[in-house]
Amino acid sequence: MRNTRLTIEYDGSRYQGWSRLGKDESNNTISNKILDVLKKMTEESDLELNCGCRTEVGVHAYAQVANFKTGCSMKTADIKHYLNRYLPMDIAVTAVDEVPERFHAQLNASSKIYIYRMSIDDVPSVFDRKYIYHCFQIPDKQLMQQTALLLAGKHDFRNFSSVKKSKSTVREIYEIDIYGDTEEIQIMIHANDFLHNMARIIVGTLIDIGLGNRKKEDIEAIFAGTKKASDPCDPKGLYLQEVRY
């Protein structure tokens, strides 16, 4: 059996995330679209596809990583060509590589980086409206940067997520950077891992603080559970930029 790694770029606008299990199970997911093509290509019905980071509904990816094991003897270049020929146009495989047998896209991931794109231009672009969140006010970027320092480090992020399981909710944020110009602000979050909706809730809270809707000091209160975090940000501006190994 060969172990094959895919690097994937996708527009998540019309999908129910990377995968959708449990009571919200859906076939309209990125992973299902890729699996359907892989099963036809390999003629193997029991294929499994592991991903580096399960993106949520409406979230995009510049470089998702996935792996699968197969007995198919096609060359990696031919696999890439086949996938891009038969996948929907909003999903693209940018690289196909042979990897060691023990490589697992999820279990071997050491960290993940998300980018949030937010337009602060006077008039929202009609061409970017599906991929950049438009903020009709200009947030205080310096205040958001100061707030980000309170989120960096190792914390229990249970209250910054919609997670329902009882497993450990401690995660470590290595860096949060907020930068931009007169037209767009970007928020970069680099962490060892993310809980369900964690990236979107952190971004939503930072934006609320930047707009003056809540105070920087709320961060400690949210960690303590005495205040609720803000609602998750609009997913259309969120991109999985990189999964590191």
Side-chain angles (χ1 to χ4, degrees):
M1 296 289 282
R2 303 160 62 200
N3 195 6
T4 305
R5 177 176 60 190
L6 308 176
T7 304
I8 311 155
E9 180 179 85
Y10 53 82
D11 170 358
S13 301
R14 67 186 185 99
Y15 298 104
Q16 294 295 303
W18 173 263
S19 60
R20 202 76 172 164
L21 306 173
K23 64 182 179 66
D24 296 323
E25 186 172 0
S26 171
N27 289 323
N28 184 34
T29 62
I30 307 291
S31 61
N32 274 342
K33 297 297 180 186
I34 297 171
L35 269 172
D36 285 346
V37 179
L38 284 174
K39 287 176 181 179
K40 290 176 184 175
M41 181 190 78
T42 61
E43 299 182 344
E44 297 168 354
S45 60
D46 57 347
L47 264 179
E48 292 184 5
L49 188 64
N50 308 302
C51 77
C53 187
R54 277 181 58 189
T55 53
E56 293 145 18
V57 178
V59 176
H60 318 294
Y62 288 123
Q64 173 69 278
V65 176
N67 79 289
F68 66 97
K69 292 186 178 181
T70 177
C72 175
S73 60
M74 288 177 67
K75 295 179 180 179
T76 54
D78 293 334
I79 292 173
K80 179 180 176 182
H81 177 75
Y82 187 99
L83 287 169
N84 286 317
R85 180 178 178 183
Y86 291 106
L87 280 170
M89 294 296 289
D90 48 10
I91 303 174
V93 175
T94 59
V96 178
D97 305 289
E98 294 278 356
V99 287
E101 180 188 356
R102 294 178 65 84
F103 176 82
H104 190 289
Q106 179 185 359
L107 300 179
N108 294 145
S110 60
S111 65
K112 298 145 191 188
I113 300 174
Y114 274 104
I115 294 285
Y116 194 72
R117 299 182 62 192
M118 178 170 58
S119 166
I120 55 171
D121 213 352
D122 286 347
V123 181
S125 166
V126 296
F127 301 109
D128 293 334
R129 71 191 187 283
K130 293 181 180 179
Y131 307 106
I132 301 179
Y133 169 70
H134 183 76
C135 191
F136 287 90
Q137 296 172 260
I138 299 177
D140 186 332
K141 188 169 65 175
Q142 186 175 4
L143 180 58
M144 292 168 70
Q145 290 168 333
Q146 293 170 359
T147 305
L149 297 175
L150 303 175
L151 290 160
K154 187 178 288 187
H155 304 279
D156 186 342
F157 283 95
R158 175 180 294 275
N159 298 327
F160 283 94
S161 76
S162 55
V163 70
K164 296 176 183 177
K165 296 180 181 179
S166 58
K167 292 181 180 179
S168 173
T169 48
V170 174
R171 298 291 186 271
E172 184 173 2
I173 291 181
Y174 300 128
E175 183 183 8
I176 302 183
D177 198 5
I178 298 152
Y179 46 87
D181 51 29
T182 57
E183 296 180 357
E184 183 178 329
I185 289 176
Q186 295 190 3
I187 301 171
M188 183 278 291
I189 309 176
H190 180 198
N192 65 341
D193 199 7
F194 289 86
L195 300 168
H196 185 61
N197 269 331
M198 176 176 152
R200 290 180 58 205
I201 290 173
I202 286 175
V203 170
T205 304
L206 284 172
I207 292 173
D208 270 351
I209 291 170
L211 294 175
N213 297 329
R214 59 188 311 164
K215 297 185 180 298
K216 179 178 71 171
E217 291 72 26
D218 285 0
I219 297 297
E220 293 299 334
I222 295 168
F223 277 131
T226 56
K227 286 188 177 181
K228 287 188 176 182
S230 298
D231 291 335
C233 64
D234 191 325
K236 68 183 178 185
L238 187 61
Y239 297 77
L240 175 63
Q241 177 170 286
E242 184 181 356
V243 181
R244 291 186 177 176
Y245 294 91

